[in-house]
């Protein structure tokens, strides 16, 4: 069964539950017109999916379920809203969801509904917006009580107010752990402990988030104290590193010059290193650096400042491959550099094409082409290139902007073992490092 056939089967099931074409299209990231066509094909005799009985059943269920609202429930919701409760609060009180409450209220704005009252609908929507603004702190206090009882508000509402509440929760946990550590906890530790990204921690503690939550919740004094502690810690770490790096550099002036040359064009050399999957020893031979310790320290130092995934890519490349015995990779890299040098002098078009090879142009073009369908219309060749890109930089699944459920089953057999090994390493990293953390805690 193809992917489209599997999706069609689910489309028909959801349609039988009364879901609209729009709702189904949002679930499967397909165009609404495509969903509509699949359903209408059921009534076309020449269609391979012709099934008039199923089509009639879908139409019946959709019409039967549309617009049915419990009058007492509607009146109860209206009463609560008139008492200045917000949609989110009403959902909590009725053990429902904000989406469902809004759906029920919407019948007031439907001409086909027996409860049609557009003026009342407009007033209730306006009242909800005003209450959310006026009673934010009071609502957050209520949210806290609900959360303390074990209720996850994410299942009730995806509103900005709920997201804002959880952002505050995360900031409070971050600050609490930071203070407990005497301001020594790393961003990675705080991110892992609080279930957020290191980027969120860094923005928050540097008071660069849009809401300035630390300043809002704790005041100027704590903000200043955190900034000073982070500045002092960075200064100590930076000087310790410089001292260590300086001692290593003193080993050889000649090696120092070679390493500095590589460092000055590090973006290019990273591309060479990852494209041809060179071991540290092979890369040292390629760039004529025999002091591998010096070369390694420079690479990891520059990786930290270049791309958040490069540190792990280097560890994976140097620690999970046995490339020293594979002389073919080094040979390919040497030939590539030779071709590049010749093309730069004689053939600008070839020179540009050669650079595109290491700069992942094919992958970037795939991303642009399929930016909105999450990979469901990818060709086998495109799937292979996406997987190779992930393997090239040892990326976690979340760094690939495609639905992995559609990518992984189509992985070429010759890449399966390598992909499985990378998945294992990513999973191990997810236990230790925030950027690789999987929200469900399951293996990627």
């Amino acid at each position: 069964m193809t992917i489209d056939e599997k999706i069609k089967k689910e489309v028909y099931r959801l349609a039988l539950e009364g879901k609209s074409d729009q709702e189904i299209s949002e679930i499967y990231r397909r165009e609404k017109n495509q969903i509509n066509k699949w359903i209408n094909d059921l009534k076309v005799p020449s269609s391979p999916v012709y099934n008039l009985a199923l089509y009639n059943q879908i139409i019946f269920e959709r019409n039967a379920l549309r617009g049915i609202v419990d009058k007492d429930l509607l009146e109860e919701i209206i009463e609560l809203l008139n008492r200045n409760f917000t949609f989110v609060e009403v959902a909590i009180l009725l053990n429902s969801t904000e989406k469902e409450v809004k759906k029920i209220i919407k019948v007031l704005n439907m001409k086909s509904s027996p409860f049609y009252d557009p003026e009342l609908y407009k007033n209730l929507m306006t009242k909800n917006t005003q209450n959310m603004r006026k009673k934010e702190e009071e609502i957050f206090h209520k949210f806290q009580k609900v959360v303390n009882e074990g209720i996850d508000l994410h299942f009730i509402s995806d509103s900005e107010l709920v997201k804002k509440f959880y952002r505050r929760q995360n900031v409070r946990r971050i600050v609490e752990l930071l203070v407990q550590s005497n301001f020594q906890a790393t961003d990675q530790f705080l991110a892992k402990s609080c279930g957020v990204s290191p980027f969120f921690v860094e923005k928050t503690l540097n008071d660069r988030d849009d809401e300035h939550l630390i300043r809002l919740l704790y005041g100027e004094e704590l903000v200043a104290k955190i900034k000073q502690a982070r500045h002092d810690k960075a200064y100590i770490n930076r000087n310790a590193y410089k001292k260590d790096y300086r001692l290593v550099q003193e080993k050889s002036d000649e090696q120092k010059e070679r390493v500095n040359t590589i460092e000055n064009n590090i973006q290019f050399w990273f591309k060479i290193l990852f494209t041809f999957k060179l071991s540290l020893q092979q890369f040292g031979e390629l760039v004529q650096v025999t002091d591998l310790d010096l070369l390694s320290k420079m690479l990891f130092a520059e990786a930290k400042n270049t791309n958040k995934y490069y540190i792990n890519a280097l560890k994976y490349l140097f620690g999970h491959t046995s490339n020293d015995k594979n002389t073919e990779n080094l040979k390919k890299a040497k030939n590539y550099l030779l071709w590049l040098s010749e093309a730069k002098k004689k053939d600008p078009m070839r020179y540009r094409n050669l650079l595109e090879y290491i700069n992942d142009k094919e992958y970037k073009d795939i991303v642009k082409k399929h930016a909105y369908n999450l990979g469901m219309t990818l060709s086998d060749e495109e799937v292979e290139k996406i997987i190779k890109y992930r393997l090239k930089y040892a990326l976690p699944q979340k760094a690939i902007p495609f639905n992995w459920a559609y990518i992984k089953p189509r992985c070429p057999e010759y890449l399966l073992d390598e992909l499985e090994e990378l998945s294992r390493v990513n999973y191990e990293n997810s236990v230790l490092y925030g950027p690789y953390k999987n929200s469900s805690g399951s293996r990627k």
Side-chain angles (χ1 to χ4, degrees), residues 269-295:
W269 289 112
F270 274 139
K271 295 293 185 181
I272 294 293
L273 186 63
F274 294 132
T275 298
F276 296 101
K277 298 185 178 180
L278 302 176
S279 67
L280 178 61
Q281 184 175 341
Q282 288 176 330
F283 185 62
E285 181 179 340
L286 183 69
V287 296
Q288 298 181 337
V289 174
T290 56
D291 190 337
L292 299 184
D293 185 46
L294 174 62
L295 181 61

Side-chain angles (χ1 to χ4, degrees), residues 288-385:
Q288 298 181 337
V289 174
T290 56
D291 190 337
L292 299 184
D293 185 46
L294 174 62
L295 181 61
S296 176
K297 285 182 180 294
M298 183 277 290
L299 287 172
F300 278 97
E302 289 300 316
K304 185 176 181 181
N305 298 321
T306 302
N307 184 300
K308 70 177 182 178
Y309 291 118
Y310 276 11
I311 288 283
N312 290 283
L314 285 175
K315 288 179 179 178
Y316 181 78
L317 183 62
F318 294 161
H320 293 85
T321 55
S322 55
N323 291 340
D324 282 336
K325 298 179 181 179
N326 186 355
T327 58
E328 192 64 28
N329 287 356
L330 181 57
K331 183 179 179 181
K332 288 179 180 178
K334 288 180 176 179
N335 286 337
Y336 175 83
L337 292 178
L338 180 61
W339 297 335
L340 194 65
S341 177
E342 292 174 348
K344 187 174 183 179
K345 299 174 184 176
K346 303 176 182 178
D347 190 344
M349 183 65 71
R350 176 169 166 75
Y351 178 69
R352 188 185 70 179
N353 291 338
L354 285 168
L355 285 179
E356 287 178 350
Y357 173 67
I358 64 169
N359 287 327
D360 312 301
K361 184 178 185 301
E362 289 185 335
Y363 171 79
K364 293 172 183 175
D365 287 344
I366 293 172
V367 173
K368 292 177 183 177
K369 179 181 176 183
H370 300 276
Y372 301 103
N373 62 41
L374 300 179
M376 289 180 282
T377 60
L378 291 166
S379 68
D380 289 342
E381 183 181 5
E382 288 172 329
V383 168
E384 182 177 0
K385 288 175 181 176

Side-chain angles (χ1 to χ4, degrees), residues 27 37 75 129 434:
I27 293 173
K37 181 180 183 305
E75 290 178 349
T129 302

